[in-house]
Amino acid sequence: ICAEHTCICGQQVDKYGQHGLACKKSRGRFARHSTLNDAIQRSLGSAHITSVLEPVGLDRGDGKRPDGLTIFPWRFGKALVWDVTVVDTLAQSYVAATSQLAGSAADAAEARKQRKYEALEQQFIVQPIGFETMGSWGTGAKAFLTEIGNRVKQVTGNQRAMEFLRQRV
C-alpha cells in the first residue's frame, strides 16, 4: 500500500516501515480484526455457547457496538459482550511502556475499552480483549481466552483445547 515512502492515507512512512501496522486504511487491518472475532466466536461455539457478532440494537451510547454477544448468560445471570482491540506495540505513545513490559499497551487499550462500555455493565459482563501488533496479549485477553479454553476442554474432553485456541489467535 505504500509507494515512494508515502502511504495511501498520506502519512509519510519511515525507513522502518512500521506505519502499516497501525494505519486505519491498511487493507489487512479489518481482516485481522474479523479473524480474531471469528476465532472467539468459533471457540465459544465449541464450548456450546451461542453468540452473535456485531449485535444489532446494542450500542455503548455513541452508535458503536461491541464485537460480540453471548445469547445465554455467561456469569451471574448476565450475557457477555466482548470487544477486540489491537494496538501498535511500536507507537510513540506506547513504546516506552512496551519496551519495559510486554502487553502494557494491550492492557491500556483494555482499560480504555472498559471505560467506553460502562453504560452496558448493568446488563452485561463486558470483556475487552486487547492485543498488540507484535503479538502480546492483554491481561483481560489472557484470562478470557483461558476461560474459553477451559470451557471447551470441559465440553469436549480435549486436553489441548487451550493450545489450539492460542494457535488460532
Side-chain angles (χ1 to χ4, degrees):
I1 59 173
C2 297
E4 304 294 317
H5 306 291
T6 303
C7 180
I8 59 172
C9 72
Q11 176 78 26
Q12 185 72 27
V13 179
D14 69 7
K15 65 182 178 182
Y16 302 108
Q18 299 166 351
H19 172 76
L21 294 172
C23 181
K24 293 190 185 306
K25 293 189 178 185
S26 172
R27 289 188 180 111
R29 182 181 178 106
F30 296 109
R32 289 188 302 266
H33 187 264
S34 294
T35 300
L36 287 167
N37 279 305
D38 182 60
I40 291 165
Q41 185 183 37
R42 286 176 179 259
S43 296
L44 287 168
S46 294
H48 298 197
I49 299 166
T50 307
S51 63
V52 294
L53 294 177
E54 298 190 20
V56 177
L58 180 63
D59 72 66
R60 61 185 195 196
D62 61 0
K64 295 187 178 183
R65 55 188 177 193
D67 290 330
L69 165 72
T70 61
I71 302 301
F72 301 104
W74 177 257
R75 189 176 24 220
F76 309 122
K78 294 181 177 181
L80 171 104
V81 295
W82 77 85
D83 199 46
V84 171
T85 187
V86 182
V87 293
D88 183 4
T89 307
L90 302 174
Q92 281 186 322
S93 56
Y94 294 129
V95 76
T98 57
S99 66
Q100 297 295 313
L101 180 63
S104 58
D107 286 341
E110 288 177 346
R112 280 193 307 277
K113 284 281 186 187
Q114 193 73 45
R115 286 190 299 273
K116 288 179 180 179
Y117 284 99
E118 282 179 340
L120 296 179
E121 288 182 335
Q122 292 293 332
Q123 281 185 282
F124 301 97
I125 302 291
V126 176
Q127 181 61 63
I129 305 166
F131 299 98
E132 294 179 15
T133 54
M134 294 297 190
S136 294
W137 296 18
T139 304
K142 289 176 193 172
F144 178 61
L145 294 171
T146 297
E147 185 171 356
I148 293 174
N150 288 334
R151 288 184 182 209
V152 171
K153 183 168 59 174
Q154 187 176 21
V155 168
T156 66
N158 186 339
Q159 297 300 310
R160 296 182 60 202
M162 187 61 215
E163 289 177 53
F164 296 141
L165 175 56
R166 284 189 180 144
Q167 288 172 0
R168 184 165 191 162
V169 169

